[in-house]
Amino acid sequence: MAALKMTISCFFFLQVISCLLSLFAPTTVQGLKVGFYDKACPKAELIVKKFVFEAVKKDPTLGAPLLRMFFHDCFVRGCEGSVLLELKNKKDEKNAIPNLTLRGFEIIDNAKAALEKECPGIVSCSDVLALVARDAMVALNGPSWEVETGRRDGLVTNINEALLNLPSPFNNISSLITQFQSKGLDKKDLVVLSGGHTIGHGHCPQITNRLYNFTGKGDSDPNLDTKYAANLRRKCKPTDTTTALEMDPGSFKTFDESYFKLVSQRRGLFQSDAALLDNQVTKSYLLKHVNSDKSTFFKDFGVSMVKMGRIGVLTGQAGEVRKKCRMVN
């Protein structure tokens, strides 16, 4: 009898300990967690990293479009890989105007093919995309963060949804705040993620109105530094639709804080960059990282990327795990 009581006591003690440990366990969001594939496909993250590092070493300019690919995926239908899908009628997200400059889809394909060989049907394309975005930044000596995995892949892609949901380089601060808030992201996330413009290129059509016809009277944007505007006009004629422009001139291959300095000097390339000076929260963060030696930008960027990576995810039995990222099973 005494042995039975001791057994029951031990059982309840273990239950209490288990409950207490669960209170202090890392928080999982909607079925996501760091290390989701540790048992089912333990080499998954290393496999993705290998392909990303090899590609970015050959072409450092791939870093920016790979980062933007994940951003553009998450803002349309959530982080579920719809940006990777292709339709015969071309009415997919890939063919939406904001996505036409995305590059690096072959890196996703190659990593996924290797994963299918290593552990078939386990790792989703949406998780590959999340891992690729992080690894591309690390390959550029930028920030690193722990990527939550466990996403499943969506079944739908729609060109119109991309046009409706993706923030525009022409947006003012009110529109940007509203769009980010609709995805569960706050003003700090807005300015931090905008800092990703420290790498990569824009194109002339995205700034033509700022240079030549800002208010419809043949004028330029008064919020654009005059010398910088003159320099841009030399590169972009009114009918130019192809010329690429460094978003962070002189530093567009390096992930750093110099973007914030440029915006503070009214030299942000896009209207949406300049808009960050029109709100006290975004302006305060921006100026803090111009004048401070103790930048938290890299850490903050990782936090905001994790937060963005939780938007509209499919987990459990929702969606599917695609065999090939460009098509549903």
Side-chain angles (χ1 to χ4, degrees), residues 9 24 42 44 61 96 120 129-130 143 147-148 153 156 158 187 189-190 201 223 236 272 279 289 292 311 314 322:
S9 296
F24 296 99
T61 66
L129 197 48
V147 176
E148 295 175 337
D153 299 322
V156 177
N158 185 302
K187 295 172 186 175
D189 297 315
L190 166 58
H201 293 87
N223 292 318
C236 290
S272 58
N279 174 271
H289 286 78
S292 173
I311 299 173
L314 303 176
R322 291 182 211 141

Side-chain angles (χ1 to χ4, degrees), residues 79-116:
C79 310
E80 39 71 83
S82 56
V83 74
L84 303 173
L85 288 172
E86 295 178 350
L87 300 176
K88 290 181 179 179
N89 63 8
K90 304 294 184 183
K91 299 295 183 180
D92 47 57
E93 290 176 34
K94 265 188 185 179
N95 281 290
I97 290 174
N99 290 332
L100 293 178
T101 55
L102 293 180
R103 295 185 295 126
F105 291 104
E106 70 282 356
I107 299 169
I108 310 294
D109 295 336
N110 294 339
K112 176 61 173 172
L115 289 166
E116 284 298 300

Side-chain angles (χ1 to χ4, degrees), residues 110-136:
N110 294 339
K112 176 61 173 172
L115 289 166
E116 284 298 300
K117 188 175 181 180
E118 177 72 19
C119 39
I122 299 297
V123 183
S124 68
C125 295
S126 48
D127 276 343
V128 172
L129 197 48
L131 291 167
V132 164
R134 187 270 310 276
D135 292 341

